[in-house]
Structures are given as structure tokens and as C-alpha cells.
């Protein structure tokens, strides 16, 4: 009994040793797979993330006014598997270490990550096209020269013709 009292009194002065969360911040384990972040500027709309998504959480579709592509990801459906990040060629989609994913039930369809890829126009035929992100060039080429920069501004059809020439 005496030893119990000793421990109790000692602990009283030591203060709490449990985690303060949610009243204070807590630690985040390194490499935690948390909320997804999407960067439309680095996205080349290859749709690989949509294809591999285990939870069916990603949708990429053309905007009603045909000015570009809308990207939407439902956080609520994401299973944090990391496949989208793994297969994304430009790392436009990443899992962050943000674990704050609690939300109210009525917010589940509003709890989304959105992005928009605005079409640009081919410098040769003016067809609308998805811009080629610089991130893709740095993955594909060791050095980006003027010829590659010129190809970047062409739509896939004109690029093909140029390559044949
Ligand atoms: S982490 Fe997995 S489930 Fe979540 S969006 Fe990426 S592929 Fe889909
Ligand atoms: S986020 Fe990555 S994988 Fe998904 S469409 Fe864009 S470039 Fe492709």
C-alpha cells in the first residue's frame, strides 16, 4: 500500500504522459499514408491513377464547356493504398502525412480534392490538347532542348507527323 501511494504521489507531480490529441497536436509516424494532394499543373491526364485506384475514388472527365478536364477525388472513398502515387509518372498525385480525415456524415460528398487541367492549343493545327507538364519532360529526357520544347507545343497528331518527318 505504501509503495502504491508513493507511485501515486510521484505520478501526480509528473503530469500526464498520455497523448494530448485531439486537444493538442500529436506525432506523425514517418511515411504515414494520409490525405491525397493533387497538383493539376504536373498532371498529364494519363488517367493511370483513375485506372489503378483501389477504392474507385478518382474521376477525370471533360468539363461541360469542353475547356479542359476536371479531376475529382473523394477522400471518403480513398483506401490510402498509395497506388495512385506509385504509378503517377509525374508525381502529380501524392499522399501527404495529414491524417486529419474526420468529417461529418453529411459532408462526405463535399469532402473532395478537386483540380482542373485547362486545355491549351496546338501551335500547328490549333486543336485543343492537354498541356505537356515539364515534370513529364524531365522524366522522359535527360536534357530538354529546343526541338523537344517545340514538340511539347504540338498536339499528339502533329507530334506524330513531325516525328515521321
Ligand atoms: S491512395 Fe489508393 S484508394 Fe486512395 S486515391 Fe490513391 S489509388 Fe485510390
Ligand atoms: S495524377 Fe498522375 S496518374 Fe493521374 S492522370 Fe495525372 S499524371 Fe496521370
Amino acid at each position: 500500500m505504501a509503495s502504491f501511494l508513493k507511485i501515486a504521489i510521484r505520478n501526480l507531480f509528473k503530469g500526464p504522459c498520455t497523448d494530448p490529441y485531439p486537444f493538442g497536436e500529436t506525432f506523425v509516424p514517418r511515411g504515414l499514408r494520409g490525405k491525397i494532394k493533387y497538383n493539376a499543373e504536373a498532371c498529364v491526364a494519363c488517367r493511370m491513377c483513375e485506372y489503378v485506384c483501389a477504392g474507385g475514388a478518382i474521376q477525370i472527365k471533360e468539363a461541360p464547356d469542353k475547356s479542359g478536364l476536371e479531376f475529382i477525388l473523394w477522400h471518403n472513398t480513398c483506401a490510402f493504398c498509395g497506388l495512385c502515387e506509385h504509378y503517377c509518372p509525374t508525381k502529380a498525385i501524392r499522399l501527404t502525412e495529414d491524417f486529419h480525415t474526420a468529417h461529418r456524415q453529411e459532408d462526405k460528398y463535399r469532402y473532395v480534392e478537386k483540380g482542373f487541367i485547362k486545355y491549351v492549343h496546338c501551335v500547328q493545327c490549333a486543336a485543343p490538347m492537354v498541356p505537356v507538364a515539364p515534370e513529364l519532360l524531365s522524366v522522359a529526357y535527360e536534357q530538354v532542348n529546343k526541338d523537344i520544347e517545340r514538340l511539347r507545343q504540338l498536339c499528339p497528331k502533329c507530334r506524330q507527323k513531325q516525328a515521321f518527318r
Side-chain angles (χ1 to χ4, degrees):
M1 185 64 178
S3 67
F4 167 77
L5 273 177
K6 248 199 238 166
I7 294 169
I9 291 166
R10 193 187 63 207
N11 286 353
L12 198 66
F13 290 104
K14 265 173 115 182
C17 60
T18 48
D19 205 284
Y21 192 79
F23 303 107
E25 271 312 311
T26 186
F27 78 103
V28 179
R30 255 183 70 205
L32 178 108
R33 293 193 293 211
K35 244 171 118 177
I36 301 271
K37 192 94 193 104
Y38 170 71
N39 175 9
E41 277 168 26
C43 178
V44 290
C46 65
R47 294 174 184 253
M48 185 53 90
C49 54
E50 188 181 29
Y51 180 72
V52 298
C53 180
I58 299 173
Q59 190 182 62
I60 300 170
K61 62 173 184 177
E62 191 166 62
D65 65 359
K66 300 194 184 308
S67 62
L69 296 172
E70 292 171 347
F71 172 98
I72 188 161
L73 180 145
W74 284 269
H75 290 299
N76 197 270
T77 316
C78 173
F80 307 104
C81 66
L83 286 177
C84 52
E85 178 179 314
H86 181 77
Y87 286 104
C88 177
T90 58
K91 298 296 168 228
I93 189 162
R94 285 180 186 275
L95 281 90
T96 68
E97 290 181 346
D98 181 4
F99 62 92
H100 299 92
T101 53
H103 58 277
R104 292 181 306 180
Q105 173 70 2
E106 61 260 40
D107 289 335
K108 70 177 180 181
Y109 296 116
R110 286 190 286 267
Y111 190 48
V112 293
E113 174 81 1
K114 281 184 178 175
F116 186 71
I117 307 168
K118 194 168 167 42
Y119 289 150
V120 292
H121 294 276
C122 171
V123 292
Q124 204 145 294
C125 71
M129 64 177 214
V130 172
V132 179
E135 285 80 354
L136 186 68
L137 295 186
S138 53
V139 172
Y141 302 101
E142 271 180 19
Q143 268 188 335
V144 180
N145 57 29
K146 275 188 185 163
D147 290 339
I148 295 167
E149 271 299 338
R150 162 89 183 150
L151 284 176
R152 186 179 164 214
Q153 291 162 17
L154 300 177
C155 69
K157 273 188 186 163
C158 292
R159 219 176 294 153
Q160 208 173 26
K161 282 183 201 159
Q162 182 87 4
F164 276 132
R165 268 186 229 133

